[in-house]
């Protein structure tokens, strides 16, 4: 028996047992001139936008639309481009405002009428495509499957809601010729035949849409048997890059990748899995979701060929980005309906337009941009009493060491209530001018813990505020916190939303200024929601409804308390028209492992941040030190490198693990750890005026705070390959050290002159150069001639 077959059998048993070349922006954007830094941070700090306007600006409606109906082609024209539809066989081509074709679906090869879909899964055992190849697919502009779909999830583990296996079986047909055309305002409606011999028809609509986009909708008629899957395929050039897709950690260009868009819990790295699987799957692998898994998904991407794409559906989707053929890419959606947007434009225009549709992180209160510390619950050892003492000890150390902390999260706040210390902790934090942050989650649990008040579970179940089975009984599952039974809050139920909002407002009234908003990915495909939605449709959409409910609670609270500025950050996200980013304050990368790994440790953070930032989720909250610490405690080298790494990211936040506790800098034997950590804090404080200004500009334009080099230097191929560097605005190049036991790293410098503000080292680009950096140092460079922010150590 070969190794792969042994692995399949072993895991199957386990699973059954567990049940600047800057493009012009369409609106004002940060200047890329090397002579000035935007903003001039030596001047007075800019004012925040009015709170009632602190959300994504309204999208722009289309105008000047013309429709031309010809014998072979139908054309929909606008000022920003046009769509050309070929009648027989049906195909589409999208053009920009200059008449350049940017995307097409002309390819119909092989021109066969159908394809038998074998039961090969799109996901098997965490994306291990090395074991099982992907199912074959019919590449035509639009296809659909008549048959069945199988989706198998983890029912009662840490990974509740994750997709274990997904497969569709049956016969795949294609849409054929346009049989009828009608026009309704700015919308074209096409009646289209199919290769299904039963006579099934499809309706395709095309219209000019918001923010210079084109909207396409495809609906296949139900007839005799269900349609479990519908797809669209498009031509691709050999070197086309696909960037975005939310918090992906594997890479920043998803070309040659195939993956599901299904928000999931993930954490296990190759090092943790080595006793089971050895080094079979490389250093990017993470169990159980595979290397492409993500908590924060976005069904949108930016192509370097002059367009952006957004899938306007929430259901499970499967993407093949030139993965099984080099000349095409394809998206498949569960169900019989498909909606998507195509946005012509250069890369900055596309980022602006797509994020304007999806939503952007609003400008936060100033206190949230200062250094944060968190005291984490040790799940297996902490009691309310010893956890309360650890919180008090941390506050003593912050005060004694005079650390510049602006916010402190004590996730086990319920435990401090049990000991009677909660009010005293709140008062002490306020006396130290530190904002208190507590914790809420998207499910209710039967097991008593320090994260949730004990009466909440019974309230939610007895009042019908949780999701249900088809039978009407509450849908219960094993808690992902490794103990007891849990149920998911149903945010389609208006009464459940009001109950949630009252809980949030009560927390604010009791003294919290912010929350970690955790979980929500536990939706099972066979759940039934209050509004009749199925789990397959609601799994991803739950993020939007979850965060919207909290935003409404905040807005109602602030209306009665205008002097308060509450803030919350999330790990679970999804895209859409007003996707979850529209409601969130910020997002964190989820449960990073407390290690250096490229899969989910320190080496995964920059790709995650950059991939989500171009979709409007640029309010990135770091997780210094990571969370999953099953392999051991964080050492001082990892902690300091991670702190320096985070010092020029939007939100500087330290965390800790459930096994070994929180690696506070004073808990190390070496007193230099505190001073090195303080220096990273002070660097972040010095950069805070720039970060705040860039956040204001990002809300207005969509151009993110921390940017991938491909966005600032689109004509530089080497810049496009950088996955461990980023730009803070247009003028600050940041290249953290992300490997252990080294005295520096190779840094790629784009064209121009670059200078380190602390060492004054100057480098002329384009070139790659090794930059020395001790453990307490960060390689970061300003465009020569710009005014750097103050030397670390300045005041907040």
């Amino acid at each position: 028996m070969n190794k792969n077959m042994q692995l399949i059998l072993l895991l199957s048993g386990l699973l059954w047992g567990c049940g600047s070349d800057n493009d012009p922006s369409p609106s004002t954007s940060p200047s890329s001139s090397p002579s000035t830094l935007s903003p001039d941070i030596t001047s007075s700090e800019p004012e925040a936008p009015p709170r009632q306007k602190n959300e994504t600006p309204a999208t722009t409606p289309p105008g000047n639309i013309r429709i031309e109906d010809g014998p072979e082609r139908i054309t929909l024209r606008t000022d920003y481009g046009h769509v050309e539809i070929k009648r027989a066989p049906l195909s589409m081509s999208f053009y920009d405002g200059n008449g350049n074709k940017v995307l097409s679906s002309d390819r119909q090869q092989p021109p066969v009428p159908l394809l038998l879909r074998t039961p090969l899964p799109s996901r098997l055992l965490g994306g291990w495509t090395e074991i099982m190849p992907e199912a074959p697919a019919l590449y035509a502009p639009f296809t659909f499957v008549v048959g069945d779909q199988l989706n198998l999830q983890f029912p009662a583990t840490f990974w509740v809601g994750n997709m274990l296996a997904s497969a569709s079986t049956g016969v795949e047909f294609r849409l054929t010729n346009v049989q009828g055309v009608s026009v309704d305002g700015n919308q074209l409606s096409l009646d289209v035949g199919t290769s299904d011999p039963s006579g099934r028809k499809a309706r395709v609509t095309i219209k000019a849409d918001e923010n210079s986009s084109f909207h396409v909708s495809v609906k296949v008629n139900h007839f005799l048997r269900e349609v479990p899957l519908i797809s669209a395929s498009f031509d691709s050039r050999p070197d086309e890059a696909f960037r975005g897709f939310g918090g992906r950690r594997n890479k920043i260009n998803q070309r040659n990748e195939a993956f599901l868009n299904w928000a999931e819990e993930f954490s296990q790295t190759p090092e943790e899995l080595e006793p089971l699987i050895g080094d079979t799957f490389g250093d990017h692998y993470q169990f159980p979701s595979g290397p492409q898994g993500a908590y924060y998904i976005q069904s949108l991407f930016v192509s370097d060929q002059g367009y952006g794409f957004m899938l306007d559906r929430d259901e499970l989707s499967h993407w093949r980005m030139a993965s099984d053929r080099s000349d095409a890419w394809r998206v498949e959606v569960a169900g019989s309906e498909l909606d998507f947007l195509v946005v012509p434009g250069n890369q900055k225009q596309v980022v602006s337009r797509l994020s304007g549709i999806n939503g952007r992180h609003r400008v936060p209160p100033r206190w949230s941009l200062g250094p944060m510390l968190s005291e984490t619950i040790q799940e297996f050892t902490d009691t309310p009493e010893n956890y309360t003492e650890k919180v008090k000890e941390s506050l003593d150390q912050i005060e004694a060491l005079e650390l510049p902390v602006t916010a402190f999260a004590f996730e086990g706040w319920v435990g401090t209530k049990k000991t009677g210390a909660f009010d005293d902790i709140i008062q002490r934090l306020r006396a130290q001018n530190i904002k208190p942050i507590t914790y809420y989650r998207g499910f209710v649990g039967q097991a008593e813990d320090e994260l949730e008040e004990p009466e909440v579970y019974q309230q939610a179940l007895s009042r019908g505020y949780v999701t249900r089975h088809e039978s009407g009984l509450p849908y219960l599952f094993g808690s992902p916190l490794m103990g007891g039974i849990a149920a998911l809050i149903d945010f389609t139920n208006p009464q459940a939303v009001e109950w949630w909002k009252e809980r949030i407002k009560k927390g604010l009234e009791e003294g919290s200024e912010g929350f970690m908003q955790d979980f929500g990915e536990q939706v099972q495909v066979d759940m039934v929601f209050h509004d009749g939605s199925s789990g397959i449709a609601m799994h991803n959409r739950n993020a939007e409804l979850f965060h919207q409910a909290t935003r409404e609670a905040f807005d109602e609270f602030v209306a009665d308390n205008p002097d308060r500025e509450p803030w919350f950050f999330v790990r679970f996200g999804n895209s859409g028209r007003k996707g979850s980013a529209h409601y969130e304050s910020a997002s964190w990368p989820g449960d990073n492992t407390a290690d250096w790994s490229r899969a989910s440790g320190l080496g995964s953070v920059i790709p995650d941040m950059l991939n989500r930032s171009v979709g409007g989720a640029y309010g990135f909250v770091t997780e210094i030190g990571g969370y999953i610490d099953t392999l051991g405690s964080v050492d001082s080298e990892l902690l300091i490198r991670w702190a320096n790494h985070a010092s020029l990211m939007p939100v500087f936040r330290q965390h800790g693990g459930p096994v070994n506790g929180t690696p506070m800098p004073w808990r190390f034997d070496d007193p230099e750890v505190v001073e090195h950590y303080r220096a990273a804090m002070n660097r972040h404080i010095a950069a805070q005026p720039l970060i705040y200004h860039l956040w204001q500009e990002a809300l207005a334009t969509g151009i993110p705070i921390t940017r991938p080099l491909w966005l600032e230097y689109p004509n530089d191929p080497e810049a496009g390959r950088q996955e461990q560097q980023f730009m803070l605005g247009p003028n600050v190049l940041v290249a953290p050290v992300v490997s252990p036991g080294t005295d520096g790293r190779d840094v790629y410098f784009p064209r121009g002159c670059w200078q380190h503000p602390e060492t004054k080292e100057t480098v002329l680009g384009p070139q790659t150069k090794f930059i020395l950096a001790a453990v307490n140092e960060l390689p970061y460079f300003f465009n020569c001639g710009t005014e750097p922010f103050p030397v670390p150590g300045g005041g907040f």
Side-chain angles (χ1 to χ4, degrees), residues 127 173 214 567:
F173 301 97
F214 296 106
W567 178 83

Side-chain angles (χ1 to χ4, degrees), residues 237 303 323 443 729:
R237 297 178 183 176
S303 168
S323 59
F443 68 85

Side-chain angles (χ1 to χ4, degrees), residues 467 488-490 492 523 527-535 538 542:
T467 61
L488 192 73
I489 300 170
D490 185 349
T492 71
V523 179
M527 280 180 176
V528 178
F529 285 74
H530 178 81
D531 69 351
S533 297
S534 66
M538 280 297 304
N542 195 45

Side-chain angles (χ1 to χ4, degrees), residues 51 53 116 118 151 156 203 269 307 372 374 486 558 587 638 686 692 710 791 793:
R51 185 175 298 148
K53 296 181 181 179
L116 294 175
T118 58
N151 294 298
R203 171 60 65 94
T269 65
Y307 72 94
M372 295 185 192
S374 304
V558 170
S587 62
L638 178 59
Y692 189 74
W710 61 258
V791 174

